[in-house]
Amino acid sequence: MSDNALSASGAGAQWRGALLLALGLTAARLVALFVTPLELYPDEAQYWLWSRTLDWGYYSKPPMIAWTIWTTTAIGGNGEAWVRLAAPLYHLGATLAVFGIGRRLYSPAVGFAAAALYALMPGVQISALAMATDAILLFYLSLALLAYVELPRAEGRGRLWIAAGFGAAVGLAFLSKYAAVYALIGLGLHLAISREARTVWSWDTAGAALAAFLLILAPNLAWNAAHGFSTVQHTAANAAWGGRKLFNLPELGEFVVSQFGVFGPIPLAVLIGGSLLLAVRKRLTPADLTLLCFSIPPLLIVTFQAFISRANANWSGAGYVAGSVLVAAWLMRWRAKGWLIAAVGTQALIAALFLACVVSPPLAEKMGAANAFKRAKGWEQTVRGITERAAAEPGLTAVAVDDRFLFNASAYYGREFFAGPGAPPLRMWVREAHPQNQAETTDPLTPATGAHVLAASLDLVYRDEMAQDFKAVSDREIRSVMLDRKRKRRTELFLGDGFAPLPRDPVTGQPPAPKVTRPE
């Protein structure tokens, strides 16, 4: 057999291995979705609620997640598994794209190792079993990076099409989550420091990429313009430094530690150590430089933000598509086979344990990890307590809640009740002078719907503030739902008549402090 035939055979084996790994993990995740007793997180319930009314944008996120849920629930119904169905499928696509990136930049063997590191990444295990924007974002970012690394090898009209594909993938990533801006930062950084990268682009290819990008993004930009750029403002507010103590070493330390849990301890150590070592020794290959430009900026920017203000662990996730390929390439270049096996093996063990806990939450409780799943428990029972009380009270003009999590959960788990004939509408009590979330924006409690209200308080800090906005209130009724042996969710219900909100403070926008706080 010729060397070319052997090479093709090896490449085919690596591709089949990556495909089988991705399909096997996806099958296991789909089984877990359909057998788990875990309920929707409130944010998932919110995205489901958005999907009932398709639009080009929503209060806090671009539209792709709502479109995705609309598609899967149109096929299978509104059950939790169908709301989440697309998450493992997006990661299936991303895993195969990561293989393609590794194969194109290095070798099929690197592509297989990178696909394994990505598919078994601890952060991906969570993202693949919960419907959030990260899975969609990473899929389209992986397609964008795949197109970008294919571009130098394309010729003629093929290069124009690939450039347009790159722009379209970045545009779709923006419709998924505005963290897609890291793709543009990576592109700009690579073009700035690599002459070779600049020679790939011409006015024609740049125009094709920009046209595809703007064509896809334009409807969302128009929606934002028509809605006061609410999504952009919310995203900026999430990242804002104002109102918080600057220079937070504890926040910085917590974020850095969290990244070992998101990317994996060995891969993150290799990514950080390899970046410093090879940069100092000036042994970075052009492929290394490409991937560093797309992987390091999210890590550095979000780490700095954690130090200045705060940052969630998943905010740096945009860097880990390129990071997975880079770590695989370096470990294979250094012939560190043992470390590669240890990295993949460790992450496979974590993935197996997580799947087991999702299928059987009591196992998480035995392992001392029950707190990680508490937001996916007890919502159906909590909402049932509210709707049963509402059904027993004649003449209600609304059911009002003081917490967006409770609003979203009530909209989902109370969907049959609130859709029933003569049912009172679900409304959100607005605490401050201006809406702070989508529920307050689209479904606020007003005097017109506040004549006779069943109020439900989940955030007990605000219960008295909400009560003082009514002319008369009844005694409180306490409903508690056990989440595990140690934790419970407490909801307080009361009837309120004559909703007439007190004036909010003109400076802070907050209601006046309650004059009397009833004992619990």
Side-chain angles (χ1 to χ4, degrees):
M1 186 179 291
S2 67
D3 290 343
N4 288 339
L6 286 172
S7 176
S9 175
Q14 300 288 357
W15 163 246
R16 288 191 295 273
L19 182 60
L20 288 174
L21 172 67
L23 290 175
L25 274 172
T26 302
R29 288 164 177 165
L30 288 173
V31 169
L33 286 184
F34 280 93
V35 302
T36 181
L38 294 175
E39 299 170 0
L40 293 189
Y41 285 84
D43 282 343
E44 293 177 292
Q46 175 178 250
Y47 303 145
W48 170 85
L49 183 59
W50 293 352
S51 75
R52 302 306 89 188
T53 306
L54 295 183
D55 209 335
W56 283 102
Y58 299 89
Y59 178 85
S60 60
K61 294 290 188 295
M64 188 66 74
I65 190 165
W67 298 350
T68 297
I69 295 173
W70 179 90
T71 302
T72 57
T73 55
I75 296 171
N78 291 313
E80 290 94 338
W82 289 97
V83 173
R84 294 167 168 156
L85 183 74
L89 301 181
Y90 276 120
H91 282 298
L92 166 65
T95 299
L96 299 180
V98 165
F99 173 85
I101 297 165
R103 178 181 62 180
R104 173 56 67 196
L105 288 179
Y106 299 100
S107 70
V110 169
F112 174 74
L117 287 173
Y118 175 86
L120 295 169
M121 191 192 312
V124 167
Q125 309 320 307
I126 299 172
S127 178
L129 293 171
M131 195 61 221
T133 53
D134 290 329
I136 315 175
L137 171 71
L138 293 178
F139 171 66
Y140 287 115
L141 286 182
S142 67
L143 290 185
L145 187 55
L146 179 59
Y148 188 74
V149 301
E150 288 283 353
L151 192 62
R153 295 160 180 82
E155 297 179 355
R157 295 185 66 84
R159 179 170 287 193
L160 285 176
W161 281 109
I162 292 177
F166 170 77
V170 175
L172 290 167
F174 266 93
L175 291 185
S176 307
K177 191 175 183 178
Y178 291 150
V181 70
Y182 290 121
L184 299 183
I185 294 173
L187 171 65
L189 182 60
H190 192 222
L191 294 178
I193 64 180
S194 171
R195 182 178 180 277
E196 181 180 332
R198 294 192 295 274
T199 61
V200 171
W201 291 89
S202 65
W203 287 109
D204 289 343
T205 53
L210 183 60
F213 172 71
L214 292 177
L215 179 65
I216 287 175
L217 192 57
N220 179 250
L221 292 176
W223 182 93
N224 266 288
H227 291 80
F229 289 94
S230 62
T231 311
V232 177
Q233 289 182 25
H234 174 84
T235 303
N238 259 354
W241 301 344
R244 297 181 65 89
K245 178 184 176 183
L246 299 181
F247 310 118
N248 297 289
L249 285 175
E251 288 274 359
L252 173 63
E254 183 177 337
F255 174 76
V256 171
V257 170
S258 75
Q259 295 312 289
F260 286 92
V262 171
F263 193 38
I266 295 175
L268 186 61
V270 171
L271 181 61
I272 296 173
S275 300
L276 296 173
L277 181 65
L278 294 180
V280 169
R281 294 184 177 181
K282 298 182 179 180
R283 293 183 181 178
L284 292 171
T285 68
D288 295 345
L289 185 61
T290 300
L291 294 174
L292 279 173
C293 288
F294 285 91
S295 62
I296 295 302
L299 293 176
L300 290 181
I301 291 171
V302 181
T303 298
F304 178 71
Q305 182 174 338
F307 178 52
I308 294 296
S309 177
R310 68 177 186 91
N312 292 340
N314 66 316
W315 288 1
S316 61
Y320 289 137
V321 168
S324 297
V325 182
L326 204 51
V327 168
W330 286 346
L331 288 176
M332 297 195 73
R333 185 185 307 167
W334 301 336
R335 294 183 173 85
K337 183 178 180 181
W339 283 107
L340 180 58
I341 292 173
V344 172
T346 300
Q347 301 196 168
L349 177 61
I350 294 171
L353 287 174
F354 182 75
L355 274 174
C357 289
V358 168
V359 171
S360 179
L363 177 61
E365 192 171 346
K366 293 177 181 178
M367 296 170 57
N371 190 53
F373 296 97
K374 67 180 181 182
R375 286 189 177 178
K377 294 179 179 180
W379 290 110
E380 185 173 10
Q381 188 178 349
T382 297
V383 174
R384 188 184 308 121
I386 296 171
T387 56
E388 288 177 352
R389 180 66 182 87
E393 181 65 29
L396 285 180
T397 57
V399 174
V401 301
D402 68 349
D403 181 274
R404 72 178 184 89
F405 278 10
L406 185 56
F407 181 92
N408 297 331
S410 297
Y412 179 78
Y413 287 106
R415 59 189 182 275
E416 293 184 3
F417 171 80
F418 289 110
L426 177 64
R427 292 291 182 259
M428 181 76 184
W429 171 68
V430 181
R431 179 175 183 264
E432 299 189 17
H434 303 288
Q436 301 298 308
N437 53 61
Q438 176 128 358
E440 294 183 0
T441 302
T442 60
D443 296 286
L445 180 65
T446 64
T449 55
H452 185 51
V453 175
L454 175 65
S457 176
L458 185 65
D459 191 339
L460 302 185
V461 174
Y462 300 149
R463 59 184 178 180
D464 292 323
E465 291 182 358
M466 179 166 60
Q468 70 182 357
D469 278 344
F470 292 91
K471 294 178 180 178
V473 297
S474 68
D475 292 335
R476 314 285 172 87
E477 303 174 29
I478 298 175
R479 305 291 175 93
S480 294
V481 174
M482 295 303 299
L483 306 180
D484 53 53
R485 287 178 295 180
K486 297 181 179 179
R487 299 170 181 85
K488 65 181 179 180
R489 180 178 297 117
R490 171 174 160 161
T491 309
E492 289 195 4
L493 308 179
F494 64 87
L495 295 171
D497 293 321
F499 180 69
L502 298 177
R504 272 35 182 174
D505 187 287
V507 177
T508 66
Q510 296 180 2
K515 296 179 180 179
V516 178
T517 301
R518 294 179 176 87
E520 296 189 12

